[in-house]
Amino acid sequence: MKTINHVSEMIEISKDYGGKSVGFVPTMGALHAGHLSLVKEARKQNDIVVVSVFVNPAQFGPREDFSAYPRMIDKDQKLLEGENVDYMFSPETSEMYPKDFSTSIHVGNLTDYLCGYYRPGHFDGVVLVVNKLFNIVKPTRAYFGQKDAQQFRVLKSMVCDLNMNVEMIEMPIVREADGLALSSRNMYLSPEERKEAPILHLAIKYAVDQIKLGRKDAYKIKREAMNKLGIYPDIKIQYFEIVDEKTLVPVSKITSKVIVAAAIFLGKTRLIDNEIVNV
Ligand code: AMP
């Protein structure tokens, strides 16, 4: 595996892949088995695999955890070597966003609810960095996790609207044995919080099971699921929504494919999770 730290070097490489297919996995590092599931799929489907490790300042709000976000590049490098990755691209912030940088991109509609509502500007930062990374890496296919279901749909919309020639692939959520979705932020949890964290997935699962039983009233199901989260006083619910899978608009009556999505604060740590349900 070759480690690339400069944008210009990655651009040189991507100028000529010799007609080979390129699978790309963008990450912010602190890699875990969830990230590696994307890398493994990229390895299976492509001749060349590129993984970026870049903590993108543009997608963090002013009071969010940009400086505290875990950075462990040596460990990440070893994990990616173990997956037979061809290039790890890990640029400096000053190269991605030089002083005179002034461009912004905004995807509307799909960012109105869920994380888009509670993290203003977050998806502008995500689409900006992924747009830049696609231009630098020039992948054939790009791999994302359903863990960030809204992010995937926002990025897919950007790729479609801007006629970008990248195949977008969404991979299932990798979980711990107790159901907690793997996340780089799980390492912020105290042992006590870690014990409480699986309740997020249990509450989502409850809603999913009710929908599968044929219940249609989204509001009632939501209320019941949120009550389950209420058993731990240190959990603060940011949102618990049942949204249309395509538009990401909350539904009142469940009649088509939906996403049950939630974000909570457990102490200071923000956790998100979701399930897609086909009615
Ligand atoms: P991040 O480093 O958090 O920006 O995540 C990089 C990519 O890994 C995103 O496409 C995430 O959706 C994906 N990802 C993160 N956690 C998981 C997980 N538990 N299962 C599957 N994919 C994940």
Side-chain angles (χ1 to χ4, degrees), residues 1-3 25-33 35-36 39 51-55 69-90 184 187:
M1 184 178 82
K2 234 180 140 196
T3 299
V25 183
T27 82
M28 297 209 297
L31 301 178
H32 50 64
H35 297 113
L36 298 185
V39 175
V51 179
S52 63
V53 175
F54 178 64
V55 185
Y69 198 85
R71 289 157 171 91
M72 37 194 69
I73 196 77
D74 295 341
K75 192 176 161 217
D76 290 347
Q77 198 165 2
K78 288 205 178 73
L79 285 169
L80 295 177
E81 263 163 13
E83 298 299 335
N84 225 351
V85 166
D86 297 286
Y87 300 103
M88 178 177 94
F89 176 49
S90 180
S184 307
M187 60 181 84

Side-chain angles (χ1 to χ4, degrees), residues 116-155:
Y117 180 82
Y118 289 97
R119 300 184 71 188
H122 167 68
F123 286 115
D124 292 359
V126 171
V127 294
L128 184 64
V129 80
V130 172
N131 201 311
K132 282 175 67 73
L133 289 167
F134 281 2
N135 285 331
I136 296 165
V137 174
K138 299 188 187 75
T140 318
R141 302 184 182 89
Y143 298 80
F144 299 88
Q146 185 203 312
K147 166 89 188 331
D148 299 279
Q150 186 174 24
Q151 167 175 282
F152 180 74
R153 281 152 188 79
V154 168
L155 288 170

Side-chain angles (χ1 to χ4, degrees), residues 92-211:
E92 289 294 328
T93 307
S94 57
E95 281 198 16
M96 288 295 277
Y97 299 110
K99 273 201 180 69
D100 51 357
F101 192 92
S102 65
T103 299
S104 56
I105 317 173
H106 177 73
V107 175
N109 299 338
L110 289 176
T111 57
D112 288 348
Y113 296 96
L114 310 175
C115 295
Y117 180 82
Y118 289 97
R119 300 184 71 188
H122 167 68
F123 286 115
D124 292 359
V126 171
V127 294
L128 184 64
V129 80
V130 172
N131 201 311
K132 282 175 67 73
L133 289 167
F134 281 2
N135 285 331
I136 296 165
V137 174
K138 299 188 187 75
T140 318
R141 302 184 182 89
Y143 298 80
F144 299 88
Q146 185 203 312
K147 166 89 188 331
D148 299 279
Q150 186 174 24
Q151 167 175 282
F152 180 74
R153 281 152 188 79
V154 168
L155 288 170
K156 230 180 138 176
S157 166
M158 170 192 80
V159 163
C160 174
D161 289 350
L162 301 184
N163 310 100
M164 299 172 90
N165 190 18
V166 180
E167 190 184 333
M168 299 288 283
I169 294 159
E170 185 176 40
M171 297 292 296
I173 302 176
V174 177
R175 300 179 180 281
E176 302 280 7
D178 59 12
L180 176 66
L182 297 192
S183 163
S184 307
R185 289 188 170 98
N186 290 351
M187 60 181 84
Y188 296 154
L189 298 171
S190 70
E192 208 44 53
E193 290 166 345
R194 175 61 190 83
K195 274 187 217 147
E196 297 177 4
I199 191 77
L200 173 59
H201 185 235
L202 286 176
I204 291 172
K205 272 292 286 167
Y206 170 82
V208 169
D209 290 343
Q210 296 307 303
I211 295 167

